Amino acid sequence: MKAPRVTLEQWRVLQAVVDKGGFAQAAEALHKSQSSISYTVAKLQEQLGYPLLTIDGRKAKLTERGEVLLRRSRHLIREAIDLEELAHTLGQGWEPEIELVVDEAFPTPALLRALKAFEPQSQGTLVQLKEVVLSGALDTLSQGSPDLVLSGMVPKGYLADPIVEVEMIAVAAPDHALCAEDGVISNERLKKELQVVIRDSGQESSIDQGWLGADRRWTVSSVQSAYEVVASGVGFAWLPMADLRDALESGRLKKLELESGGERNFHMYAIFGKGERTGPATRLFVELLQQSCAQCTDLRR
């Protein structure tokens, strides 16, 4: 087998020069001297036989060939990191920590039951829990490798298991004008009222899921905030049914009888951010989560 002439470190230095905007910035980011960075890039271009960078003022820019190779090198570095993490997982066995990313629409009772069941079996594994909304889950996957992501959206290239069906229902406070309507409520009537929507936490894209397009809209950052606003008598919203049982039974919120779309169902998936490198602690937690979600299904029957 032919040995590569270019090292991973040379590709990493090239990436830093491009991402940081120059040799001095790359040197600072990588904690190297500027002369070392310049030499590494020069040696890389010498080995390849053509330039990868051009200098425009103080900024380094890629040539057309450089752009192609930089894209491929990013995959190469990611594969190398994945290989090292796989070796670490195989050597360590049980993960010392699980990074868990959860869309806020995921049923809270099911999540809490699974976490409670996991704790005595965790062998000291730490859980880092991050809550996101809509495409925020996809951002975490593009920016790193969380162990587990619970989301209704599965990006290409990731292993995922369907884990629960989420039911969103339209609700308002009992004293809201919509609750005084006789008969079912049309979409045209609904658009005349203020709708509370939850902001997409993604930075790379933004999704207005469930917004009717009405001018009167308030945007909040979490399901809990939306619940509090609606329960105070301001506006209406679609919220996760699993989190509303107590509020509906106590009368703090009331389900709206709509002409269409009063209930919205979609599947949530367990997405394995590390793929085949998923460790045993994460797999155990997913099993417990599946059991917990099955209880949610049984309660609806």
Side-chain angles (χ1 to χ4, degrees):
M1 181 182 293
K2 184 179 178 181
R5 292 187 299 168
V6 178
T7 67
L8 290 175
E9 179 62 15
Q10 286 174 294
W11 291 122
R12 189 171 79 101
V13 168
L14 176 65
Q15 290 175 19
V17 171
V18 174
D19 293 343
K20 301 302 179 181
F23 291 84
Q25 297 91 325
E28 182 179 355
L30 297 179
H31 306 291
K32 295 176 179 289
S33 66
Q34 186 171 341
S35 60
S36 172
I37 297 294
S38 299
Y39 174 80
T40 299
V41 173
K43 186 66 175 177
L44 171 60
Q45 295 180 120
E46 178 187 329
Q47 289 170 312
L48 294 175
Y50 49 80
L52 301 177
L53 293 171
T54 59
I55 305 302
D56 184 5
R58 294 185 177 182
K59 190 173 180 64
K61 292 186 176 181
L62 287 166
T63 63
E64 289 186 7
R65 289 174 174 176
E67 289 180 357
V68 173
L69 290 177
L70 182 68
R71 286 196 298 270
R72 290 293 298 273
S73 74
R74 292 192 192 279
H75 293 296
L76 182 64
I77 296 294
R78 170 50 60 186
E79 286 294 324
I81 293 172
D82 288 348
L83 180 60
E84 290 183 2
E85 290 184 355
L86 174 58
H88 176 76
T89 298
L90 294 175
Q92 296 294 322
W94 200 264
E95 305 99 291
E97 181 177 288
I98 292 176
E99 184 180 353
L100 174 61
V101 178
V102 183
D103 190 299
E104 287 200 1
F106 194 91
T108 302
L111 177 63
L112 295 179
R113 278 196 302 270
L115 288 170
K116 184 177 180 180
F118 176 73
E119 198 281 327
Q121 304 179 60
S122 66
Q123 300 183 33
T125 293
L126 303 177
V127 175
Q128 294 284 350
L129 175 62
K130 179 180 181 180
E131 294 179 300
V132 296
V133 178
L134 295 172
S135 69
L138 305 186
D139 278 6
T140 63
L141 288 168
S142 66
Q143 295 166 4
S145 297
D147 296 279
L148 185 66
V149 176
L150 304 178
S151 172
M153 296 178 283
V154 182
K156 292 181 179 179
Y158 284 91
L159 300 174
D161 290 336
I163 197 161
V164 70
E165 185 178 46
V166 174
E167 180 183 4
M168 306 285 285
I169 64 171
V171 293
D175 58 353
H176 191 278
L178 288 171
C179 293
E181 292 286 317
D182 292 328
V184 296
I185 303 168
S186 68
N187 281 344
E188 289 303 315
R189 172 67 183 89
L190 206 59
K191 287 181 180 180
K192 296 177 181 178
E193 298 294 336
L194 185 146
Q195 182 181 357
V196 179
V197 297
I198 303 167
R199 180 182 296 108
D200 188 340
S201 65
Q203 299 299 312
E204 297 181 7
S205 61
S206 182
I207 301 173
D208 273 331
Q209 191 173 73
W211 178 42
L212 292 177
D215 292 334
R216 301 183 62 197
R217 175 177 68 160
W218 283 11
T219 303
V220 297
S221 60
S222 68
V223 170
Q224 182 61 34
S225 297
Y227 167 79
E228 295 294 344
V229 170
V230 172
S232 72
V234 178
F236 71 96
W238 274 270
L239 296 174
M241 175 64 182
D243 295 346
L244 298 179
R245 294 190 184 279
D246 289 343
L248 292 171
E249 291 176 1
S250 67
R252 191 175 186 198
L253 288 180
K254 185 176 179 181
K255 181 180 177 181
L256 298 176
E257 298 299 326
L258 305 185
E259 188 175 65
S260 63
E263 299 175 1
R264 298 172 176 174
N265 293 32
F266 61 93
H267 280 95
M268 281 277 188
Y269 298 86
I271 306 169
F272 299 95
K274 289 183 167 57
E276 64 180 11
R277 297 179 288 104
T278 299
T282 302
R283 295 189 184 278
L284 170 62
F285 179 73
V286 172
E287 290 178 11
L288 296 172
L289 196 59
Q290 288 171 331
Q291 295 171 13
S292 180
C293 289
Q295 292 183 39
C296 289
T297 303
D298 292 340
L299 288 173
R300 289 203 298 265
R301 292 173 181 170

